[in-house]
Amino acid sequence: MLHAIQDAYARIKSDLYPTPLIRSYHLEPYFGCAVYLKLENLQRTGAFKMRGALNKFSVLSDDAIKGGMVAASSGNHGRAIAYVCKSKGVPCTIVMPQTAPPIKVANILALGADVVQCPTENRFKVAAQVAEERGAIVVPPFDDNDVMIGQGTIGLELMEQAPELTHILVPVGGGGLVGGIAAAVKGLSDHTKVYGVEPEILPRYTESLKAGKPVAVPQNHSIADALASQQPGDVNFPVVQNYVDGMLTVSETAIQKAHKLMITEGKIFCEASSSIGLGAVLEEKITFTATDRVCLVISGGNLSLDQLSSLIDIEI
Amino acid sequence: MLHAIQDAYARIKSDLYPTPLIRSYHLEPYFGCAVYLKLENLQRTGAFKMRGALNKFSVLSDDAIKGGMVAASSGNHGRAIAYVCKSKGVPCTIVMPQTAPPIKVANILALGADVVQCPTENRFKVAAQVAEERGAIVVPPFDDNDVMIGQGTIGLELMEQAPELTHILVPVGGGGLVGGIAAAVKGLSDHTKVYGVEPEILPRYTESLKAGKPVAVPQNHSIADALASQQPGDVNFPVVQNYVDGMLTVSETAIQKAHKLMITEGKIFCEASSSIGLGAVLEEKITFTATDRVCLVISGGNLSLDQLSSLIDIEI
């Protein structure tokens, strides 16, 4: 899979923003070792999802996309698809959970896409209906090989920016991001462990890895709104099973504390979902030795200031 | 002055965090050219002030500092001095304006320093009194050659990280930061312009440069709380006069808009003071051509989430 990711990178690199990997000295007391942040909140459209969207479009002909695109998305995938559709001049409809933050809806509408909102658990069914009605193609947010391969380009950049990394902690929703990154990193490094981190109230990968196959968990709403999937993608699951070193779960309380800490101490404006790796460290779901070099993937930064109000009184 | 800054850097470099210079693609539409952010909010104690503090201590003997230190500060200088005093094991008192944000007071108390609060315009007088009573040395926040030289080390790093910069916009309080940076940059580059940016309601440099000497302006309270000085430092003024290419003023409204934009679009958690350069651009106090490469100095990140509440309803 490494070669497919390298080929994808050659196709999409010029349309990506090169995102920095910065050392976060302020967060190091919590880890007891060197900490790095991969700032995908600085990616075009404010999240890593641009990578998968660009790669999907790079393998489709102009004829295939002329009827437009439909995506079911908690927000960031939708914004990326809407951006590419606008740049290609094709119609776009994004199907979003009714619980999506208003800023994510607004960002997508601003790109000229239609937005349909529905209950979280119906979003893939609604997307398929809309696609059929409009003669459009559905671009899945994670359960698609081209999308996962696009997200994997982050792994290539990390191994270029800091080949000495010992651990990479990746937020997990459907598994496109962690699967892609792990496949790239494991193809390039024999000393870098890749961990997925998911909300404790949505433990679809933890449960599925135990069961040895994708299983669904109840649709709970996590404050890590970008990690809403009820079950692993069929395409992603075997890749995660094969390449990922471990899966950690984090309580809602720890995600919230980590979110506050990432902003006020890390000085990085990012989504709750992006702080989940830090949450795992706060809860001691993983510990490090002084010579480790840990990277947190900061997956997105599409949030509004009013979303921080609930963090003001959180004690760290 | 360049050589003095280079000597200072050799003394203090190992105690500094190396702060990144990142490209900010998301802010570029407002500038029409390449934009870079120097992230001094990631500096030790969360602000550039650590540089001046470390340099001041590096030229004082253990005997000279044994009675302890006193500093008048709107917060960030005080935190830096308190940090160094703690590491040296000497007593520390910080005199702060009664309008200082509570988080800045709390950060200083957490370092074991005493805090005295008084009206902004009395803070230097009170600091001198406290120093006399306690047999301590006063470390001025800007009006001191060693302090200004310490801040100037940012200029060395910028010319190392991005010698191609055409403009550097620097927040201005008493002038230690802009004076130091300009002296370093002008000694190393013949194509980089350095601009100071100050609140329109505290135009001490704009007025002083017109008058040809330091003059005081009325003590207004700007939302850029770190830029509280009523008049240029006597030590800083001639350096600014000599090396700085221009001085811009920014309205409180534009500072607030820029602050919101820096956080929500720039994805950087920083103080209102750090956004003042962006405010100057929003108000078209300076404009750029497409080939320019502009750096904003993000001077500090010591703020609490409740300080953002007033930004929620600001329209950008």
Side-chain angles (χ1 to χ4, degrees):
Chain A
M1 217 172 123
L2 173 62
H3 293 299
I5 297 171
Q6 288 167 326
D7 289 347
Y9 199 45
R11 287 193 301 270
I12 70 175
K13 191 177 176 184
S14 64
D15 287 323
L16 293 170
Y17 291 157
T19 57
L21 180 74
I22 65 165
R23 178 100 179 241
S24 181
Y25 292 93
H26 291 154
L27 294 180
E28 294 188 1
Y30 301 92
F31 289 69
C33 67
V35 177
Y36 299 82
L37 308 177
K38 175 64 170 169
L39 299 183
E40 284 294 300
N41 57 340
L42 299 182
Q43 187 50 265
R44 199 187 282 273
T45 67
F48 73 94
K49 293 285 190 179
M50 180 50 63
R51 297 171 184 265
L54 284 171
N55 192 46
K56 187 68 192 178
F57 277 78
S58 78
V59 298
L60 293 170
S61 68
D62 285 353
D63 198 52
I65 65 172
K66 70 172 191 286
M69 313 301 269
V70 175
S73 167
S74 56
N76 287 335
H77 173 63
R79 189 178 184 189
I81 296 294
Y83 178 90
V84 186
C85 283
K86 190 181 176 195
S87 74
K88 302 268 182 190
V90 301
C92 180
T93 308
I94 306 299
V95 179
M96 302 183 72
Q98 62 203 8
T99 52
I103 182 82
K104 290 190 171 179
V105 179
N107 285 338
I108 289 169
L109 291 170
L111 289 165
D114 294 334
V115 170
V116 175
Q117 289 192 264
C118 66
T120 309
E121 59 273 24
N122 297 347
R123 67 197 195 285
F124 294 113
K125 202 172 65 188
V126 173
Q129 278 170 358
V130 172
E132 194 174 333
E133 286 159 23
R134 302 192 176 187
I137 290 180
V138 173
V139 188
F142 51 83
D143 198 8
D144 179 284
N145 208 43
D146 298 313
V147 169
M148 178 168 57
I149 282 169
Q151 324 301 25
T153 57
I154 292 172
L156 302 183
E157 290 180 11
L158 287 176
M159 291 298 93
E160 179 81 27
Q161 289 171 311
E164 69 276 19
L165 291 176
T166 57
H167 298 74
I168 302 172
L169 304 189
V170 187
V172 171
L177 180 62
V178 73
I181 288 178
V185 168
K186 293 296 173 173
L188 290 166
S189 167
D190 57 9
H191 64 267
T192 311
K193 291 195 190 311
V194 178
Y195 285 85
V197 194
E198 61 183 355
E200 201 170 84
I201 61 170
L202 279 166
R204 64 251 128 169
Y205 266 97
T206 303
E207 294 303 322
S208 300
L209 288 166
K210 254 189 240 162
K213 60 176 188 198
V215 295
V217 297
Q219 185 65 67
N220 285 313
H221 179 66
S222 170
I223 53 163
D225 66 85
L227 312 177
S229 311
Q230 256 178 292
Q231 65 180 83
D234 292 329
V235 168
N236 315 109
F237 181 74
V239 177
V240 172
Q241 209 177 18
N242 196 21
Y243 292 113
V244 174
D245 291 286
M247 194 62 58
L248 312 170
T249 60
V250 182
S251 72
E252 294 294 296
T253 310
I255 295 171
Q256 219 169 10
K257 279 188 187 183
H259 195 199
K260 183 169 185 174
L261 201 59
M262 184 64 79
I263 296 172
T264 58
E265 286 300 306
K267 316 296 183 194
I268 298 301
F269 189 66
C270 64
E271 301 173 26
S273 313
S274 298
S275 313
I276 194 167
L278 177 57
V281 176
L282 295 181
E283 286 196 316
E284 297 184 354
K285 297 295 179 81
I286 186 167
T287 57
F288 304 100
T289 59
T291 54
D292 285 336
R293 289 169 293 272
V294 180
C295 172
L296 305 178
V297 177
I298 305 301
S299 45
N302 291 321
L303 72 166
S304 53
L305 293 178
D306 58 283
Q307 289 177 264
L308 303 183
S309 303
S310 62
L311 299 179
I312 290 174
D313 294 325
I314 299 285
E315 284 197 37
I316 294 177
Chain B
M1 218 172 124
L2 173 64
H3 293 298
I5 297 171
Q6 288 166 327
D7 290 347
Y9 198 46
R11 287 193 301 271
I12 69 175
K13 190 177 177 184
S14 65
D15 287 323
L16 293 171
Y17 291 157
T19 57
L21 180 74
I22 65 166
R23 179 100 179 241
S24 182
Y25 292 94
H26 291 154
L27 294 180
E28 294 188 2
Y30 302 93
F31 289 70
C33 66
V35 177
Y36 299 83
L37 308 177
K38 175 65 168 167
L39 298 183
E40 284 294 300
N41 57 339
L42 299 182
Q43 187 50 265
R44 202 187 280 274
T45 67
F48 73 94
K49 292 285 190 179
M50 179 50 63
R51 296 170 184 267
L54 284 171
N55 192 47
K56 186 68 192 178
F57 276 79
S58 79
V59 299
L60 293 170
S61 68
D62 285 353
D63 198 53
I65 66 171
K66 69 173 191 284
M69 313 299 270
V70 175
S73 167
S74 55
N76 287 335
H77 173 64
R79 189 178 184 190
I81 296 295
Y83 178 91
V84 186
C85 281
K86 190 182 178 197
S87 73
K88 302 267 182 193
V90 301
C92 180
T93 308
I94 306 300
V95 179
M96 301 182 72
Q98 61 204 9
T99 52
I103 182 82
K104 290 189 171 178
V105 178
N107 285 337
I108 289 168
L109 290 170
L111 288 166
D114 294 334
V115 169
V116 175
Q117 289 193 263
C118 68
T120 310
E121 59 273 25
N122 296 346
R123 68 198 194 283
F124 295 113
K125 204 172 63 189
V126 173
Q129 278 171 359
V130 171
E132 195 173 333
E133 286 161 21
R134 303 194 175 185
I137 291 179
V138 173
V139 189
F142 51 84
D143 199 8
D144 179 283
N145 209 43
D146 298 313
V147 170
M148 177 167 56
I149 281 169
Q151 322 302 25
T153 58
I154 293 173
L156 301 184
E157 290 180 10
L158 287 177
M159 291 297 96
E160 179 81 27
Q161 291 172 309
E164 69 275 19
L165 290 176
T166 57
H167 298 75
I168 302 171
L169 305 189
V170 186
V172 171
L177 179 62
V178 74
I181 289 178
V185 168
K186 293 295 173 175
L188 291 166
S189 167
D190 57 9
H191 64 268
T192 311
K193 291 194 191 313
V194 179
Y195 285 84
V197 193
E198 62 184 354
E200 200 170 87
I201 62 170
L202 279 166
R204 64 251 131 169
Y205 266 97
T206 303
E207 294 303 322
S208 299
L209 289 166
K210 253 189 240 162
K213 60 175 189 198
V215 295
V217 297
Q219 186 65 66
N220 286 314
H221 178 67
S222 171
I223 54 163
D225 65 86
L227 312 177
S229 312
Q230 256 178 291
Q231 65 180 84
D234 291 329
V235 169
N236 315 108
F237 181 75
V239 177
V240 172
Q241 208 176 20
N242 197 20
Y243 292 111
V244 173
D245 293 285
M247 193 61 60
L248 312 171
T249 60
V250 181
S251 71
E252 294 294 296
T253 310
I255 294 172
Q256 221 169 9
K257 281 187 186 185
H259 194 200
K260 182 168 186 175
L261 201 58
M262 184 64 79
I263 296 172
T264 58
E265 286 299 306
K267 315 295 182 194
I268 298 301
F269 190 66
C270 65
E271 300 172 26
S273 313
S274 299
S275 314
I276 195 168
L278 177 57
V281 175
L282 295 181
E283 286 196 318
E284 297 183 353
K285 295 295 178 79
I286 186 168
T287 56
F288 303 101
T289 59
T291 53
D292 284 337
R293 288 169 293 272
V294 181
C295 172
L296 305 178
V297 177
I298 305 301
S299 45
N302 292 321
L303 72 165
S304 52
L305 293 179
D306 58 283
Q307 289 177 265
L308 303 183
S309 304
S310 62
L311 299 180
I312 290 175
D313 294 325
I314 299 285
E315 285 196 38
I316 293 175

